[in-house]
Amino acid sequence: EYAAASTADQLKNFAAAHDGHALAGVALLRVADEAYAAGKNADAEKLVATVDQDQKDSHKQFKKQKKKQ
């Protein structure tokens, strides 16, 4: 699915459908890169912030799971 996503909408849909997966973050970063290239800096910044927060949340979940083991 990720490999087939080529438009910003497809990448956003992929990211939404695979929330928490590393490729979801990659998809959003691709959209952010396209937004930045188009001069939409505020949109790009929001997307990068979303990916950053998602990564922090994933890391917290990983640490919690590791403690339970």
Side-chain angles (χ1 to χ4, degrees):
E1 292 176 57
Y2 173 78
S6 59
T7 68
D9 285 339
Q10 290 172 335
L11 290 164
K12 288 178 186 178
N13 289 337
F14 175 87
H18 297 88
D19 188 34
H21 191 281
L23 284 179
V26 173
L28 289 179
L29 288 175
R30 283 179 54 193
V31 177
D33 190 47
E34 290 175 13
Y36 180 77
K40 298 177 182 178
N41 297 345
D43 291 345
E45 186 176 328
K46 287 178 189 176
L47 288 163
V48 170
T50 297
V51 172
D52 183 49
Q53 188 59 52
D54 288 350
Q55 291 298 316
K56 288 177 183 176
D57 293 344
S58 293
H59 183 69
K60 286 179 187 177
Q61 287 178 335
F62 176 76
K63 286 175 69 176
K64 283 181 184 178
Q65 289 175 352
K66 189 138 177 127
K67 284 183 180 181
K68 288 181 182 180
Q69 294 177 351

